[in-house]
PDB file of all heavy atoms in Angstrom:
ATOM      1  N   ILE J1464      10.901   6.308  16.477  1.00 45.00           N
ATOM      2  CA  ILE J1464       9.490   5.919  16.504  1.00 45.00           C
ATOM      3  C   ILE J1464       8.769   6.460  15.271  1.00 45.00           C
ATOM      4  O   ILE J1464       8.018   5.741  14.615  1.00 45.00           O
ATOM      5  CB  ILE J1464       8.814   6.399  17.805  1.00 45.00           C
ATOM      6  CG1 ILE J1464       9.397   5.624  18.998  1.00 45.00           C
ATOM      7  CG2 ILE J1464       7.309   6.213  17.737  1.00 45.00           C
ATOM      8  CD1 ILE J1464       8.946   6.137  20.342  1.00 45.00           C
ATOM      9  N   ILE J1465       9.031   7.717  14.930  1.00 45.00           N
ATOM     10  CA  ILE J1465       8.405   8.322  13.752  1.00 45.00           C
ATOM     11  C   ILE J1465       8.837   7.597  12.480  1.00 45.00           C
ATOM     12  O   ILE J1465       8.030   7.322  11.598  1.00 45.00           O
ATOM     13  CB  ILE J1465       8.713   9.830  13.679  1.00 45.00           C
ATOM     14  CG1 ILE J1465       8.003  10.547  14.832  1.00 45.00           C
ATOM     15  CG2 ILE J1465       8.299  10.412  12.335  1.00 45.00           C
ATOM     16  CD1 ILE J1465       8.367  11.998  14.967  1.00 45.00           C
ATOM     17  N   SER J1466      10.115   7.240  12.391  1.00 41.00           N
ATOM     18  CA  SER J1466      10.611   6.505  11.226  1.00 41.00           C
ATOM     19  C   SER J1466       9.959   5.134  11.124  1.00 41.00           C
ATOM     20  O   SER J1466       9.590   4.687  10.035  1.00 41.00           O
ATOM     21  CB  SER J1466      12.128   6.339  11.301  1.00 41.00           C
ATOM     22  OG  SER J1466      12.765   7.582  11.258  1.00 41.00           O
ATOM     23  N   ALA J1467       9.796   4.456  12.243  1.00 42.00           N
ATOM     24  CA  ALA J1467       9.172   3.140  12.248  1.00 42.00           C
ATOM     25  C   ALA J1467       7.712   3.230  11.817  1.00 42.00           C
ATOM     26  O   ALA J1467       7.227   2.400  11.038  1.00 42.00           O
ATOM     27  CB  ALA J1467       9.282   2.510  13.640  1.00 42.00           C
ATOM     28  N   ILE J1468       6.990   4.237  12.311  1.00 46.00           N
ATOM     29  CA  ILE J1468       5.589   4.430  11.918  1.00 46.00           C
ATOM     30  C   ILE J1468       5.489   4.724  10.428  1.00 46.00           C
ATOM     31  O   ILE J1468       4.643   4.167   9.728  1.00 46.00           O
ATOM     32  CB  ILE J1468       4.942   5.543  12.764  1.00 46.00           C
ATOM     33  CG1 ILE J1468       4.803   5.076  14.220  1.00 46.00           C
ATOM     34  CG2 ILE J1468       3.584   5.937  12.201  1.00 46.00           C
ATOM     35  CD1 ILE J1468       4.362   6.160  15.180  1.00 46.00           C
ATOM     36  N   ALA J1469       6.366   5.588   9.935  1.00 44.00           N
ATOM     37  CA  ALA J1469       6.355   5.920   8.511  1.00 44.00           C
ATOM     38  C   ALA J1469       6.623   4.684   7.660  1.00 44.00           C
ATOM     39  O   ALA J1469       5.987   4.478   6.623  1.00 44.00           O
ATOM     40  CB  ALA J1469       7.373   7.012   8.215  1.00 44.00           C
ATOM     41  N   LEU J1470       7.561   3.839   8.096  1.00 41.00           N
ATOM     42  CA  LEU J1470       7.882   2.622   7.358  1.00 41.00           C
ATOM     43  C   LEU J1470       6.690   1.672   7.326  1.00 41.00           C
ATOM     44  O   LEU J1470       6.347   1.118   6.279  1.00 41.00           O
ATOM     45  CB  LEU J1470       9.095   1.931   7.982  1.00 41.00           C
ATOM     46  CG  LEU J1470       9.538   0.633   7.326  1.00 41.00           C
ATOM     47  CD1 LEU J1470       9.998   0.888   5.899  1.00 41.00           C
ATOM     48  CD2 LEU J1470      10.644  -0.023   8.129  1.00 41.00           C
ATOM     49  N   VAL J1471       6.012   1.512   8.447  1.00 42.00           N
ATOM     50  CA  VAL J1471       4.844   0.635   8.512  1.00 42.00           C
ATOM     51  C   VAL J1471       3.726   1.158   7.611  1.00 42.00           C
ATOM     52  O   VAL J1471       3.090   0.396   6.886  1.00 42.00           O
ATOM     53  CB  VAL J1471       4.355   0.480   9.974  1.00 42.00           C
ATOM     54  CG1 VAL J1471       3.009  -0.206  10.028  1.00 42.00           C
ATOM     55  CG2 VAL J1471       5.381  -0.283  10.791  1.00 42.00           C
ATOM     56  N   LEU J1472       3.488   2.468   7.632  1.00 42.00           N
ATOM     57  CA  LEU J1472       2.447   3.047   6.775  1.00 42.00           C
ATOM     58  C   LEU J1472       2.780   2.873   5.301  1.00 42.00           C
ATOM     59  O   LEU J1472       1.900   2.574   4.500  1.00 42.00           O
ATOM     60  CB  LEU J1472       2.247   4.525   7.109  1.00 42.00           C
ATOM     61  CG  LEU J1472       1.554   4.823   8.433  1.00 42.00           C
ATOM     62  CD1 LEU J1472       1.523   6.324   8.680  1.00 42.00           C
ATOM     63  CD2 LEU J1472       0.150   4.264   8.444  1.00 42.00           C
ATOM     64  N   ASN J1473       4.040   3.067   4.925  1.00 44.00           N
ATOM     65  CA  ASN J1473       4.434   2.893   3.523  1.00 44.00           C
ATOM     66  C   ASN J1473       4.231   1.458   3.064  1.00 44.00           C
ATOM     67  O   ASN J1473       3.763   1.208   1.961  1.00 44.00           O
ATOM     68  CB  ASN J1473       5.893   3.307   3.318  1.00 44.00           C
ATOM     69  CG  ASN J1473       6.054   4.806   3.270  1.00 44.00           C
ATOM     70  OD1 ASN J1473       5.111   5.521   2.957  1.00 44.00           O
ATOM     71  ND2 ASN J1473       7.246   5.272   3.588  1.00 44.00           N
ATOM     72  N   VAL J1474       4.574   0.504   3.896  1.00 42.00           N
ATOM     73  CA  VAL J1474       4.388  -0.904   3.546  1.00 42.00           C
ATOM     74  C   VAL J1474       2.901  -1.219   3.434  1.00 42.00           C
ATOM     75  O   VAL J1474       2.469  -1.917   2.517  1.00 42.00           O
ATOM     76  CB  VAL J1474       5.082  -1.820   4.585  1.00 42.00           C
ATOM     77  CG1 VAL J1474       4.692  -3.265   4.367  1.00 42.00           C
ATOM     78  CG2 VAL J1474       6.589  -1.642   4.510  1.00 42.00           C
ATOM     79  N   ALA J1475       2.089  -0.686   4.346  1.00 41.00           N
ATOM     80  CA  ALA J1475       0.643  -0.935   4.310  1.00 41.00           C
ATOM     81  C   ALA J1475       0.025  -0.350   3.053  1.00 41.00           C
ATOM     82  O   ALA J1475      -0.810  -0.982   2.410  1.00 41.00           O
ATOM     83  CB  ALA J1475      -0.019  -0.359   5.561  1.00 41.00           C
ATOM     84  N   ILE J1476       0.431   0.848   2.676  1.00 42.00           N
ATOM     85  CA  ILE J1476      -0.106   1.488   1.470  1.00 42.00           C
ATOM     86  C   ILE J1476       0.333   0.723   0.233  1.00 42.00           C
ATOM     87  O   ILE J1476      -0.463   0.469  -0.666  1.00 42.00           O
ATOM     88  CB  ILE J1476       0.311   2.970   1.407  1.00 42.00           C
ATOM     89  CG1 ILE J1476      -0.398   3.746   2.510  1.00 42.00           C
ATOM     90  CG2 ILE J1476      -0.001   3.563   0.040  1.00 42.00           C
ATOM     91  CD1 ILE J1476       0.103   5.159   2.691  1.00 42.00           C
ATOM     92  N   ALA J1477       1.591   0.319   0.163  1.00 41.00           N
ATOM     93  CA  ALA J1477       2.089  -0.419  -1.005  1.00 41.00           C
ATOM     94  C   ALA J1477       1.372  -1.757  -1.146  1.00 41.00           C
ATOM     95  O   ALA J1477       1.008  -2.157  -2.253  1.00 41.00           O
ATOM     96  CB  ALA J1477       3.589  -0.629  -0.888  1.00 41.00           C
ATOM     97  N   SER J1478       1.140  -2.453  -0.051  1.00 39.00           N
ATOM     98  CA  SER J1478       0.464  -3.742  -0.146  1.00 39.00           C
ATOM     99  C   SER J1478      -1.010  -3.574  -0.498  1.00 39.00           C
ATOM    100  O   SER J1478      -1.597  -4.414  -1.153  1.00 39.00           O
ATOM    101  CB  SER J1478       0.616  -4.533   1.149  1.00 39.00           C
ATOM    102  OG  SER J1478      -0.011  -3.862   2.211  1.00 39.00           O
ATOM    103  N   ALA J1479      -1.634  -2.474  -0.077  1.00 40.00           N
ATOM    104  CA  ALA J1479      -3.031  -2.225  -0.431  1.00 40.00           C
ATOM    105  C   ALA J1479      -3.167  -1.993  -1.932  1.00 40.00           C
ATOM    106  O   ALA J1479      -4.125  -2.439  -2.549  1.00 40.00           O
ATOM    107  CB  ALA J1479      -3.563  -1.023   0.336  1.00 40.00           C
ATOM    108  N   LYS J1480      -2.211  -1.321  -2.536  1.00 42.00           N
ATOM    109  CA  LYS J1480      -2.263  -1.086  -3.976  1.00 42.00           C
ATOM    110  C   LYS J1480      -2.128  -2.395  -4.738  1.00 42.00           C
ATOM    111  O   LYS J1480      -2.771  -2.605  -5.745  1.00 42.00           O
ATOM    112  CB  LYS J1480      -1.159  -0.112  -4.397  1.00 42.00           C
ATOM    113  CG  LYS J1480      -1.411   1.301  -3.974  1.00 42.00           C
ATOM    114  CD  LYS J1480      -0.310   2.213  -4.434  1.00 42.00           C
ATOM    115  CE  LYS J1480      -0.541   3.631  -3.980  1.00 42.00           C
ATOM    116  NZ  LYS J1480       0.571   4.509  -4.331  1.00 42.00           N
ATOM    117  N   GLU J1481      -1.290  -3.293  -4.271  1.00 42.00           N
ATOM    118  CA  GLU J1481      -1.101  -4.568  -4.952  1.00 42.00           C
ATOM    119  C   GLU J1481      -2.282  -5.505  -4.736  1.00 42.00           C
ATOM    120  O   GLU J1481      -2.566  -6.347  -5.559  1.00 42.00           O
ATOM    121  CB  GLU J1481       0.176  -5.234  -4.439  1.00 42.00           C
ATOM    122  CG  GLU J1481       1.429  -4.497  -4.845  1.00 42.00           C
ATOM    123  CD  GLU J1481       2.675  -5.063  -4.191  1.00 42.00           C
ATOM    124  OE1 GLU J1481       2.597  -6.135  -3.558  1.00 42.00           O
ATOM    125  OE2 GLU J1481       3.726  -4.426  -4.310  1.00 42.00           O
ATOM    126  N   ALA J1482      -2.991  -5.346  -3.635  1.00 41.00           N
ATOM    127  CA  ALA J1482      -4.099  -6.242  -3.320  1.00 41.00           C
ATOM    128  C   ALA J1482      -5.318  -5.987  -4.192  1.00 41.00           C
ATOM    129  O   ALA J1482      -6.162  -6.853  -4.339  1.00 41.00           O
ATOM    130  CB  ALA J1482      -4.484  -6.097  -1.852  1.00 41.00           C
ATOM    131  N   ALA J1483      -5.456  -4.794  -4.757  1.00 43.00           N
ATOM    132  CA  ALA J1483      -6.618  -4.459  -5.576  1.00 43.00           C
ATOM    133  C   ALA J1483      -6.182  -4.094  -6.993  1.00 43.00           C
ATOM    134  O   ALA J1483      -6.181  -2.933  -7.360  1.00 43.00           O
ATOM    135  CB  ALA J1483      -7.382  -3.305  -4.942  1.00 43.00           C
ATOM    136  N   PRO J1484      -5.801  -5.082  -7.806  1.00 47.00           N
ATOM    137  CA  PRO J1484      -5.383  -4.761  -9.175  1.00 47.00           C
ATOM    138  C   PRO J1484      -6.565  -4.297 -10.018  1.00 47.00           C
ATOM    139  O   PRO J1484      -7.702  -4.663  -9.756  1.00 47.00           O
ATOM    140  CB  PRO J1484      -4.837  -6.097  -9.693  1.00 47.00           C
ATOM    141  CG  PRO J1484      -5.566  -7.119  -8.903  1.00 47.00           C
ATOM    142  CD  PRO J1484      -5.797  -6.494  -7.543  1.00 47.00           C
ATOM    143  N   LYS J1485      -6.258  -3.483 -11.022  1.00 57.00           N
ATOM    144  CA  LYS J1485      -7.313  -2.997 -11.913  1.00 57.00           C
ATOM    145  C   LYS J1485      -7.797  -4.138 -12.798  1.00 57.00           C
ATOM    146  O   LYS J1485      -7.013  -4.947 -13.274  1.00 57.00           O
ATOM    147  CB  LYS J1485      -6.783  -1.856 -12.787  1.00 57.00           C
ATOM    148  CG  LYS J1485      -6.559  -0.602 -12.028  1.00 57.00           C
ATOM    149  CD  LYS J1485      -6.226   0.531 -12.972  1.00 57.00           C
ATOM    150  CE  LYS J1485      -6.082   1.822 -12.200  1.00 57.00           C
ATOM    151  NZ  LYS J1485      -5.840   2.946 -13.073  1.00 57.00           N
ATOM    152  N   LYS J1486      -9.106  -4.150 -13.024  1.00 69.00           N
ATOM    153  CA  LYS J1486      -9.682  -5.172 -13.896  1.00 69.00           C
ATOM    154  C   LYS J1486      -9.577  -4.701 -15.341  1.00 69.00           C
ATOM    155  O   LYS J1486      -9.546  -3.509 -15.629  1.00 69.00           O
ATOM    156  CB  LYS J1486     -11.132  -5.422 -13.526  1.00 69.00           C
ATOM    157  CG  LYS J1486     -11.272  -6.078 -12.168  1.00 69.00           C
ATOM    158  CD  LYS J1486     -12.704  -6.456 -11.899  1.00 69.00           C
ATOM    159  CE  LYS J1486     -12.811  -7.164 -10.577  1.00 69.00           C
ATOM    160  NZ  LYS J1486     -14.172  -7.576 -10.295  1.00 69.00           N
ATOM    161  N   ASN J1487      -9.598  -5.641 -16.242  1.00 70.00           N
ATOM    162  CA  ASN J1487      -9.433  -5.343 -17.658  1.00 70.00           C
ATOM    163  C   ASN J1487     -10.745  -4.946 -18.335  1.00 70.00           C
ATOM    164  O   ASN J1487     -10.758  -4.092 -19.192  1.00 70.00           O
ATOM    165  CB  ASN J1487      -8.810  -6.555 -18.362  1.00 70.00           C
ATOM    166  CG  ASN J1487      -8.366  -6.236 -19.754  1.00 70.00           C
ATOM    167  OD1 ASN J1487      -8.379  -5.087 -20.175  1.00 70.00           O
ATOM    168  ND2 ASN J1487      -7.966  -7.252 -20.475  1.00 70.00           N
ATOM    169  N   TYR J1488     -11.857  -5.554 -17.960  1.00 77.00           N
ATOM    170  CA  TYR J1488     -13.171  -5.273 -18.549  1.00 77.00           C
ATOM    171  C   TYR J1488     -13.143  -5.379 -20.069  1.00 77.00           C
ATOM    172  O   TYR J1488     -13.680  -4.536 -20.778  1.00 77.00           O
ATOM    173  CB  TYR J1488     -13.679  -3.891 -18.137  1.00 77.00           C
ATOM    174  CG  TYR J1488     -13.798  -3.698 -16.654  1.00 77.00           C
ATOM    175  CD1 TYR J1488     -12.990  -2.785 -15.984  1.00 77.00           C
ATOM    176  CD2 TYR J1488     -14.717  -4.417 -15.908  1.00 77.00           C
ATOM    177  CE1 TYR J1488     -13.095  -2.606 -14.612  1.00 77.00           C
ATOM    178  CE2 TYR J1488     -14.823  -4.248 -14.533  1.00 77.00           C
ATOM    179  CZ  TYR J1488     -14.009  -3.337 -13.904  1.00 77.00           C
ATOM    180  OH  TYR J1488     -14.118  -3.164 -12.555  1.00 77.00           O
TER     181      TYR J1488
END
């Protein structure tokens, strides 16, 4: 259960980083 929760959190964090790319300005 702990491994499954950790895996879900890692995927959520990784997808959040990709969803908000840095702008160039």
